[in-house]
Amino acid sequence: MFTSRYLLIACFVISSTVLAFGQENEPDEERELGVIALQGISKPTYITPISTQTPVGIELRYSRLHMRRESWQQCQCFFRSGVFVNAYSFRNPEALGQSIGAGLFYEPILVHRARWGLSVRALAGLAYVSRHYDAITNPGNRAFGTAINGLIGAGLYARYAFAPGWRLLAGFDYKHISNAGVRLPNQGLNIPALAVGIQRYMGSSTLPNPQNWRNVDPGKRWMFRVMALGSVKVLEANKEYPERGYPVFGLNLIGGYHLTRTHVLSGGIELLDDRYFKEQIKQWTGRYQPYRQGTLLAGYEFWQGHFSFTAHMGWNVARPLWYKPATYQKYGLLYRFSNGFTGGVAVKAYGDNTKNFQAVAGMTF
């Protein structure tokens, strides 16, 4: 919680920074700078020594409200985009320590009124954690296998303008820190939190009417996408083998049907050559065995302009028969260029356990 002294300091810093950005030219699009306090609402139970308190954090955000037609057409919505810097105390100094993170965020506006609004945010970045797994000095930390980790998150926020140029912010914030299975152990850490903050803004926040910007042509109903994927995973050292990174690459083929321009049912196959898994099998069984995997995928996609969010269930129909689990979830965030070239990132997970991040690139037809 902030004391009144810290609130005054925060307000001064916010005012000075935003005004500095706007001194040369009065921006026609709103700029916003805010400081947010984050109070965690759950604590990890798989850490030794066990965490007895929930995490707390603070975050500084700077964003721009995009109101031009070319921006609106990217997602068929008005949105903010910007940068953030945050710091967390996990309040378990022996096992988890603290973190410092930074990255980019994208925040579509759901409701916009003269004095209040509602928005949803997605973010991605990197986080440094002060305490990570070490077989000798920190064997109880199963959350972080490396000091540098990926940071992803989402949130739902409400804003209320209580004075000219000033807003209060409140909402729900969720972040996940992990190295995506690059180096084990990698249980990762989920940080759901309540967010309360203060925002300083300047520039126009009056949104234009996009009615004439809409394309009423429903377009083609069927779509097809072919994507190459790649990643790297690090196999832990043991008494017989040194630590080593192995490539993961494959091919993702998806077909889908547009129920509407936004909502798509899709399915397909994924072929995976996981050299990390190949070496794992050798260590488990003492010999190389067939390791390549073939997966059937089925799921849903949400398309907004050039962006699409994908969510699929996968069933490994081609795999070592003894290997479990046979199913997994896969989520992706993709961007399609006008010529059909598509790129983005995908996450493979078993429940809440993130197994792998993948870079993907290909074509959408």
Side-chain angles (χ1 to χ4, degrees):
M1 297 296 292
F2 289 111
T3 64
S4 58
R5 179 186 302 175
Y6 292 135
L7 274 175
L8 289 173
I9 293 173
C11 292
F12 173 77
V13 172
I14 293 172
S15 298
S16 301
T17 306
V18 173
L19 290 173
F21 275 108
Q23 278 180 347
E24 294 185 5
N25 298 296
E26 183 72 6
D28 58 351
E29 292 184 317
E30 176 193 288
R31 268 70 169 175
E32 185 181 71
L33 183 71
V35 60
I36 294 94
L38 300 161
Q39 173 60 60
I41 56 177
S42 71
K43 52 183 180 289
T45 58
Y46 49 87
I47 305 298
T48 305
I50 192 169
S51 296
T52 59
Q53 300 183 83
T54 58
V56 293
I58 188 169
E59 186 165 281
L60 183 68
R61 304 173 184 172
Y62 172 75
S63 67
R64 172 187 170 190
L65 175 58
H66 298 265
M67 300 188 294
R68 292 184 171 87
R69 178 173 183 167
E70 55 269 26
S71 299
W72 184 89
Q73 289 176 334
Q74 292 184 28
C75 69
Q76 305 285 295
C77 65
F78 295 107
F79 64 92
R80 294 182 175 89
S81 67
V83 297
F84 69 90
V85 178
N86 61 33
Y88 280 92
S89 169
F90 302 120
R91 297 206 278 185
N92 186 341
E94 184 177 346
L96 293 175
Q98 299 84 36
S99 75
I100 297 176
L104 306 175
F105 68 86
Y106 169 74
E107 189 171 341
I109 294 174
L110 302 179
V111 179
H112 185 80
R113 299 290 184 267
R115 298 194 66 178
W116 68 277
L118 191 65
S119 60
V120 60
R121 184 175 74 134
L123 66 86
L126 295 174
Y128 168 81
V129 295
S130 62
R131 297 283 290 161
H132 60 87
Y133 174 83
D134 185 276
I136 297 174
T137 61
N138 196 10
N141 184 342
R142 310 298 298 177
F144 308 130
T146 54
I148 302 297
N149 293 268
L151 171 63
I152 58 175
L156 178 66
Y157 309 101
R159 289 172 169 82
Y160 178 75
F162 65 92
W166 291 95
R167 295 189 181 112
L168 293 176
L169 177 143
F172 175 78
D173 186 275
Y174 170 85
K175 293 188 180 70
H176 175 79
I177 301 176
S178 78
N179 66 30
V182 171
R183 178 175 294 164
L184 299 178
N186 180 57
Q187 186 71 25
L189 189 67
N190 297 319
I191 315 172
L194 300 178
V196 178
I198 189 168
Q199 314 280 114
R200 178 74 166 108
Y201 70 94
M202 67 178 303
S204 173
S205 59
T206 302
L207 299 181
N209 185 353
Q211 188 63 38
N212 295 330
W213 299 350
R214 299 181 185 274
N215 183 358
V216 296
D217 179 10
K220 296 180 179 180
R221 290 287 187 176
W222 291 96
M223 55 77 65
F224 178 71
R225 185 169 61 240
V226 54
M227 305 286 283
L229 60 91
S231 184
V232 174
K233 297 181 72 174
V234 177
L235 194 60
E236 289 182 280
N238 57 35
K239 294 180 180 179
E240 299 181 19
Y241 301 95
E243 180 180 88
R244 183 178 172 185
Y246 293 93
V248 179
F249 49 90
L251 187 66
N252 183 280
L253 305 174
I254 294 290
Y257 181 78
H258 282 263
L259 300 176
T260 66
R261 179 175 293 276
T262 300
H263 304 287
V264 182
L265 296 180
S266 63
I269 61 173
E270 183 170 282
L271 306 175
L272 197 65
D273 189 322
D274 187 340
R275 302 297 175 85
Y276 171 91
F277 186 45
K278 176 183 177 181
E279 294 299 321
Q280 261 192 332
I281 292 177
K282 181 184 178 183
Q283 293 190 19
W284 291 339
T285 66
R287 62 186 178 89
Y288 286 118
Q289 297 185 34
Y291 69 95
R292 293 184 177 91
Q293 300 169 60
T295 303
L296 294 178
L297 298 170
Y300 165 80
E301 302 187 10
F302 181 75
W303 289 38
Q304 279 287 86
H306 292 275
F307 290 94
S308 58
F309 172 76
T310 67
H312 292 98
M313 284 294 299
W315 178 37
N316 269 347
V317 293
R319 72 183 197 285
L321 293 178
W322 47 265
Y323 181 71
K324 305 293 183 182
T327 60
Y328 62 83
Q329 303 88 49
K330 191 160 190 181
Y331 308 97
L333 181 62
L334 307 176
Y335 184 87
R336 297 178 310 282
F337 291 88
S338 299
N339 62 1
F341 179 78
T342 305
V345 294
V347 180
K348 184 177 179 179
Y350 300 126
D352 63 353
N353 190 355
T354 303
K355 286 297 184 182
N356 192 218
F357 276 94
Q358 300 165 350
V360 297
M363 293 293 295
T364 299
F365 304 97

